[in-house]
Amino acid sequence: MHITADRGRCVGAAQCVLVAPAVFDQDEEGLVAPVTVDPAGADRPAVRQAVHLCPSSAIRIDEE
Ligand code: SF4
Protein backbone atom coordinates (compact mmCIF):
# COMPACT_ATOMS: atom_id res chain seq x y z
CA MET A 1 0.00 0.00 0.00
CA HIS A 2 1.20 3.47 -0.93
CA ILE A 3 -0.47 6.67 0.31
CA THR A 4 -0.80 9.95 -1.55
CA ALA A 5 -2.13 12.84 0.53
CA ASP A 6 -3.14 15.96 -1.41
CA ARG A 7 -2.51 18.93 0.84
CA GLY A 8 -4.19 21.18 -1.70
CA ARG A 9 -7.48 19.36 -1.07
CA CYS A 10 -7.06 18.83 2.69
CA VAL A 11 -9.38 20.95 4.83
CA GLY A 12 -7.78 19.99 8.14
CA ALA A 13 -10.70 17.94 9.42
CA ALA A 14 -8.30 15.54 11.19
CA GLN A 15 -10.45 12.47 10.61
CA CYS A 16 -7.39 10.69 9.26
CA VAL A 17 -5.36 11.54 12.37
CA LEU A 18 -8.11 10.33 14.67
CA VAL A 19 -8.59 6.99 12.94
CA ALA A 20 -4.95 6.25 11.98
CA PRO A 21 -2.62 8.23 14.27
CA ALA A 22 0.35 6.01 13.44
CA VAL A 23 0.10 7.02 9.80
CA PHE A 24 -1.29 10.56 9.66
CA ASP A 25 -0.34 13.74 11.48
CA GLN A 26 -1.11 17.42 10.92
CA ASP A 27 1.40 20.21 10.42
CA GLU A 28 1.26 23.62 12.08
CA GLU A 29 -1.27 24.75 9.46
CA GLY A 30 -3.54 21.84 10.34
CA LEU A 31 -2.97 20.15 7.01
CA VAL A 32 -2.33 16.45 6.63
CA ALA A 33 1.29 15.38 7.07
CA PRO A 34 1.72 11.63 6.64
CA VAL A 35 4.08 9.99 9.13
CA THR A 36 4.67 7.32 6.50
CA VAL A 37 3.41 6.76 2.95
CA ASP A 38 4.05 3.02 3.14
CA PRO A 39 2.07 1.90 6.19
CA ALA A 40 2.65 -1.36 7.99
CA GLY A 41 0.14 -4.13 7.45
CA ALA A 42 -1.46 -3.65 10.86
CA ASP A 43 -2.24 -0.01 10.05
CA ARG A 44 -3.77 -0.60 6.63
CA PRO A 45 -7.39 -1.14 7.71
CA ALA A 46 -7.28 2.19 9.55
CA VAL A 47 -5.82 3.87 6.46
CA ARG A 48 -8.69 2.56 4.33
CA GLN A 49 -11.12 3.89 6.92
CA ALA A 50 -9.39 7.28 6.78
CA VAL A 51 -9.86 7.38 3.01
CA HIS A 52 -13.60 6.87 3.49
CA LEU A 53 -13.88 9.37 6.34
CA CYS A 54 -11.89 12.21 4.78
CA PRO A 55 -14.46 14.88 3.82
CA SER A 56 -12.38 16.32 1.00
CA SER A 57 -11.16 13.11 -0.68
CA ALA A 58 -7.60 14.24 -0.04
CA ILE A 59 -6.19 10.74 0.60
CA ARG A 60 -5.60 8.18 -2.13
CA ILE A 61 -4.15 4.72 -1.72
CA ASP A 62 -2.48 2.39 -4.16
CA GLU A 63 -3.02 -1.12 -2.86
CA GLU A 64 -0.06 -2.68 -4.71
S1 SF4 B 1 -9.21 13.72 6.98
FE1 SF4 B 1 -8.78 14.63 4.97
S2 SF4 B 1 -9.24 16.79 5.23
FE2 SF4 B 1 -9.00 15.92 7.28
S3 SF4 B 1 -6.83 16.25 7.83
FE3 SF4 B 1 -7.02 14.22 6.91
S4 SF4 B 1 -6.55 14.54 4.73
FE4 SF4 B 1 -7.05 16.52 5.60
Side-chain angles (χ1 to χ4, degrees):
M1 175 187 281
H2 183 79
I3 297 170
T4 304
D6 184 345
R7 291 167 51 83
R9 295 184 67 98
C10 177
V11 296
Q15 297 302 309
C16 57
V17 182
L18 290 173
V19 75
V23 178
F24 298 103
D25 198 357
Q26 288 173 282
D27 66 11
E28 61 278 356
E29 297 177 69
L31 299 179
V32 64
V35 177
T36 175
V37 293
D38 297 296
D43 292 324
R44 291 175 186 175
V47 172
R48 295 186 189 101
Q49 196 174 354
V51 171
H52 290 297
L53 289 173
C54 177
S56 61
S57 302
I59 306 167
R60 290 191 300 112
I61 51 176
D62 178 351
E63 292 280 1
E64 290 182 24

